[in-house]
């Protein structure tokens, strides 16, 4: 296993084992082993968070360890200390670093300079821990992953990138259904297509939301404007509103389709309140699964 989890591709070979471990840790919550006794995770946040912060901290505590919240602006990092020096210093104190960064360049710089594992809690390119929790949720509901059709609708962003790669690794048929001007990174889609074809699935780009949703087992969406994205709200509405998951779009998916959203959600924008709070939505299981998926990651990387 690689030292870090910066891209979902860092765990290509271990993804199904991690999902299995996450499921066991979920079943055995409260009674499972505590392998991280005496270990500390530093958590650096350059952006806001509810789920990532609370789930990582809880995961560390339940595995016997300790987590330390570090707001980037309260650190010397916010006053010009380099990312590389921060990585070297923190590595002398703690056993792992979770980093929520504005840029993937900074994420990689931290990982390259840290001697302890660095786990991404999101950057502008990927959100790997989210994708792991997403697949855990689909696996729980559907019993399988391979062969399922999973369509992501909206902005081809960090969440979309990790989801495409993770779904491809699992042999799913993943579809990124995005407006042309906000399609996912071409290199990531090409990589997802290559991986998916080896695993018996596919990864395709689609611009028509009706076609994208048709026959899907899983529909997924995320906010129109990500943290750090300075897009205009009116432009975003014009571009993304055709991709919003509402009852009409959901009716195009399979009757037993499930709906995922990484949260936080904006009801009435990327998802209607009716769908978000409806019977096919699994978004709160998905949010809970961040805890279990990250426990599996910490269990494997920090021991
Ligand atoms: N989904 C997710 O990463 O949520 P937070 O921004 O609340 O951590
Ligand atoms: N794409 C969103 C995900 C938030 C969890 C963002 O980067 O803000």
């Amino acid at each position: 296993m690689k030292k870090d989890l910066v891209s979902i591709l860092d765990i290509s070979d271990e993804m199904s084992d991690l999902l299995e471990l996450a499921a066991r840790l979920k079943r055995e919550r409260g009674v499972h082993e505590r392998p991280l006794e005496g270990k500390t995770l530093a958590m650096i946040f350059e952006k806001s968070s509810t789920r990532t912060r609370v789930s990582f901290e809880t995961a560390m505590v339940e595995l016997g360890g300790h987590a330390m919240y570090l707001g980037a602006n309260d650190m010397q990092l916010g006053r010009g200390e380099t990312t590389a020096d921060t990585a070297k210093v923190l590595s002398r104190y703690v056993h792992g670093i979770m980093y929520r960064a504005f840029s993937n360049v900074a994420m990689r710089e931290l990982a390259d300079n840290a001697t302890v594992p660095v786990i991404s809690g999101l950057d502008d390119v990927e959100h790997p821990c989210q994708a792991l929790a997403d697949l855990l949720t689909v696996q729980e509901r559907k019993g399988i992953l391979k062969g399922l059709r999973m369509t992501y609708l909206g902005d081809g962003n960090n969440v979309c990138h990790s989801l495409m790669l993770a779904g491809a690794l699992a042999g799913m048929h993943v579809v990124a259904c995005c407006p042309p001007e906000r399609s996912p990174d071409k290199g990531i889609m090409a990589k997802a297509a290559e991986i998916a074809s080896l695993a018996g699935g596919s990864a395709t780009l689609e611009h028509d939301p009706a076609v994208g949703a048709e026959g899907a087992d899983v529909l997924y969406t995320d906010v129109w404007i990500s943290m750090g994205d300075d897009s205009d709200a009116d432009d975003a509405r014009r571009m993304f509103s055709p991709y919003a998951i509402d009852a009409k779009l959901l009716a195009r998916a399979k009757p037993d389709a499930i709906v995922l959203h990484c949260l936080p959600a904006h009801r009435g924008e990327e998802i209607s309140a009716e769908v978000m709070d409806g019977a096919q939505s699994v978004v709160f299981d998905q949010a809970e699964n961040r805890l279990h998926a990250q426990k599996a990651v910490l269990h494997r990387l920090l021991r």
Side-chain angles (χ1 to χ4, degrees), residues 248-260:
K248 193 163 158 245
L249 198 68
L250 180 55
R252 293 192 167 268
K254 291 215 180 113
D256 63 350
I258 53 173
V259 177
L260 278 77

Side-chain angles (χ1 to χ4, degrees), residues 17 61 120 132 141 177 179 195 226 228 251 283 293:
D17 285 355
V61 170
S120 168
L132 214 50
R141 291 295 177 138
C177 189
I195 294 168
S226 286
V283 301

Side-chain angles (χ1 to χ4, degrees), residues 40-77:
T40 300
L41 178 75
M43 308 193 298
I44 308 173
F45 283 89
E46 290 180 355
K47 301 174 182 174
S48 310
S49 170
T50 297
R51 281 143 289 271
T52 303
R53 177 178 178 176
V54 178
S55 57
F56 264 107
E57 184 157 345
T58 305
M60 279 305 289
V61 170
E62 292 187 7
L63 290 170
H66 174 74
M68 187 187 291
Y69 173 84
L70 301 165
N73 285 333
D74 301 327
M75 301 173 73
Q76 298 291 5
L77 194 57

Side-chain angles (χ1 to χ4, degrees), residues 255-274:
D256 63 350
I258 53 173
V259 177
L260 278 77
H261 189 312
C262 60
L263 307 181
H266 297 85
R267 289 174 178 79
E269 293 189 6
E270 74 276 2
I271 190 165
S272 70
E274 187 188 8

Side-chain angles (χ1 to χ4, degrees), residues 236-247:
R237 175 170 299 281
R238 198 166 357 91
M239 235 179 341
F240 296 124
S241 53
Y243 298 84
I245 306 183
D246 56 14

Side-chain angles (χ1 to χ4, degrees), residues 47 100 122-123 127 130 157-159 222-223 225-227 262-264 290:
K47 301 174 182 174
R100 169 162 285 196
L122 173 153
D123 61 28
H127 197 358
Q130 181 66 55
N157 61 17
N158 45 9
V159 168
D222 184 15
V223 291
I225 301 182
S226 286
M227 293 179 280
C262 60
L263 307 181
R290 291 291 302 278

